[in-house]
Amino acid sequence: MARRDYYDVLGVKKNASPDELKRAFRALALKYHPDRNAGDADAERHFREVAEAWGVVGDPEKRARYDRLGPLFTDSGRPPSSDQINDMLRETFGGLFRRRRAEGPGEDLTYTITIVLEEAARGVERTLVVQRQVRCVRCDGTGDHPENRIPCASCGGSGKSATRRLFRSECVACDGKGYKPTSKCDRCNGEKRVPLEESLRVKVPAGVATGSKLRLRQKGNDTPPVVGIPPGVTGDLYVLVNVEEHALFRRRGPDLLCEVPVTLPDLALGADVVVPTLEGTTTIRVPPGTPSGKSFRLPGRGLPGEAGKGDLHVRLDIETPSLLSPEARAALLAFSTATVGASHPRRAEFQDALKARR
Ligand SMILES: [Zn+2]
Ligand SMILES: [Zn+2]
């Protein structure tokens, strides 16, 4: 077969500029690219012709020789190989025709669990019932009915192309599957994935706080399958932890704060005050004359943290009685008249400062 003139193949004049040549090659290569013309032998022949022409006139040195020799020109006697064409396309188009190697990862899933502070302190295990999208095993993720398949006539069911084709060795008629689907899978209804309810044991480590995120690798969704592409990584499952507010404790990092209401006699006379801990209760001995708002530190009674266990801070606050029986009222009045100046040194100091201003 006589070789066509390379300029005719690209549809440009002999004196076309390198830019014009490149534009013409680009347009024709896009038009006849095998990825866009699957199974079209005519398009593939055109594509090879265009690639061969560009391989010569796209190269200034070869173009000069071709212009001088015309039909006598030989370019090493061989048309460009598929690899050479691919290199040419990469140079001209960048990543436009880069084929996907594998699917992306499946979707991640997020579930929230709510635990109480005591569980956050010592760690806890929970069973989580999750719904994941997994690859359909009935059709192996193809989406078609496995019993209603017709063998592919082009490749005889092998899925392989009879001749080594440009870019791909799979049969283009069946996309390498070896058969033609005729109906949807009766399990996934063509969705390729099916919902699966799964019970998962979740280990919540000691010391978690609200907002802590636990990751269960590959317990999210499977990737939506694509024929001919290896499956991607299954997504992850994230468990968001929510720690309930506690009636007695507030949290500051690994430390716990607890406010304990006491009476004036408790602090003035001294008392044994029962205070809560995460495990139960304990008693602190309050010495006589303890000021209101005083904090007591109970080391190691907090939550596990990075630098070991936190502390429990107990703060004692006087509750002023708002309801007084006649007896209590009389007793308080008697107390008031019985106290001497030295009983309230801070108040005496304050009164002196007030007087000094006048
Ligand atoms: Zn086939
Ligand atoms: Zn299926």
Side-chain angles (χ1 to χ4, degrees):
M1 196 173 78
R3 195 169 56 198
R4 284 178 66 201
D5 180 83
Y6 288 150
Y7 294 104
D8 287 349
V9 168
L10 293 174
V12 294
K13 292 200 181 102
K14 279 201 167 19
N15 59 0
S17 69
D19 250 19
E20 282 174 296
L21 277 168
K22 189 171 179 172
R23 264 203 305 279
F25 166 63
R26 190 188 156 93
L28 289 170
L30 282 172
K31 185 176 167 191
Y32 295 122
H33 196 283
D35 275 5
R36 294 186 171 183
N37 301 276
D40 184 342
D42 223 37
E44 191 175 323
R45 194 175 49 74
H46 269 115
F47 184 75
R48 283 188 173 281
E49 208 174 36
V50 166
E52 187 185 331
W54 170 251
V56 175
V57 297
D59 178 318
E61 197 195 312
K62 286 182 187 172
R63 185 185 179 185
R65 255 187 326 127
Y66 177 72
D67 286 347
R68 203 164 61 242
L69 298 171
L72 295 173
F73 171 86
T74 51
D75 179 26
S76 69
R78 245 182 284 133
S81 69
S82 293
D83 281 349
Q84 284 170 321
I85 294 177
N86 275 329
D87 285 347
M88 255 189 272
L89 289 174
R90 246 195 310 282
E91 279 165 25
T92 318
F93 298 123
L96 194 58
F97 285 105
R98 197 176 300 135
R99 300 186 77 90
R100 288 178 66 201
R101 289 283 147 89
E103 301 164 26
E107 302 95 339
D108 293 335
L109 298 174
T110 304
Y111 279 76
T112 302
I113 57 167
T114 299
I115 59 173
V116 295
L117 187 65
E118 286 83 353
E119 292 171 323
R122 57 172 185 260
V124 68
E125 263 191 43
R126 280 287 170 88
T127 302
L128 202 61
V129 178
V130 301
Q131 215 186 54
R132 311 167 50 209
Q133 292 286 331
V134 297
R135 200 177 181 99
C136 175
V137 289
R138 172 112 173 93
C139 63
D140 198 28
T142 59
D144 66 88
H145 200 300
E147 281 148 34
N148 295 350
R149 293 171 176 170
I150 298 172
C152 174
S154 297
C155 62
S158 71
K160 296 269 181 293
S161 171
T163 53
R164 170 98 179 95
R165 299 176 69 88
L166 204 57
F167 300 110
R168 52 173 77 183
S169 57
E170 316 97 70
C171 168
V172 287
C174 62
D175 225 4
K177 289 195 293 281
Y179 65 87
K180 294 238 163 180
T182 60
S183 59
K184 285 180 181 175
C185 172
D186 56 343
R187 172 120 196 271
C188 65
N189 196 31
E191 299 293 319
K192 302 173 182 179
R193 296 188 294 184
V194 286
L196 171 77
E197 208 170 79
E198 206 175 326
S199 286
L200 299 173
R201 290 297 283 172
V202 182
K203 266 188 140 89
V204 183
V208 291
T210 291
S212 291
K213 224 178 192 184
L214 312 172
R215 182 185 188 193
L216 279 73
R217 270 174 204 276
Q218 300 194 14
K219 286 297 179 186
N221 287 347
D222 281 348
T223 45
V226 178
V227 172
I229 296 177
V233 191
T234 301
D236 297 328
L237 177 85
Y238 287 98
V239 180
L240 266 175
V241 180
N242 177 43
V243 182
E244 268 181 15
E245 294 272 321
H246 198 278
L248 296 170
F249 302 109
R250 274 185 301 126
R251 198 167 167 179
R252 192 194 289 150
D255 288 350
L256 287 177
L257 313 178
C258 179
E259 281 174 19
V260 180
V262 291
T263 65
L264 172 61
D266 283 340
L267 298 190
L269 304 172
D272 285 342
V273 176
V274 175
V275 298
T277 64
L278 275 174
E279 295 80 25
T281 56
T282 189
T283 303
I284 54 174
R285 173 144 292 178
V286 178
T290 296
S292 181
K294 166 97 177 163
S295 271
F296 292 81
R297 187 170 71 95
L298 283 70
R301 295 299 188 102
L303 290 110
E306 279 164 24
K309 263 195 144 188
D311 304 329
L312 170 62
H313 300 271
V314 177
R315 187 186 143 111
L316 306 181
D317 281 309
I318 289 178
E319 181 178 15
T320 303
S322 52
L323 199 70
L324 292 175
S325 66
E327 294 80 13
R329 194 183 159 80
L332 267 180
L333 280 169
F335 164 77
S336 188
T337 48
T339 48
V340 289
S343 315
H344 296 108
R346 274 180 57 218
R347 182 174 157 76
E349 211 174 288
F350 175 80
Q351 296 275 3
D352 286 347
L354 210 58
K355 264 184 216 143
R357 280 178 87 210
R358 293 198 190 114

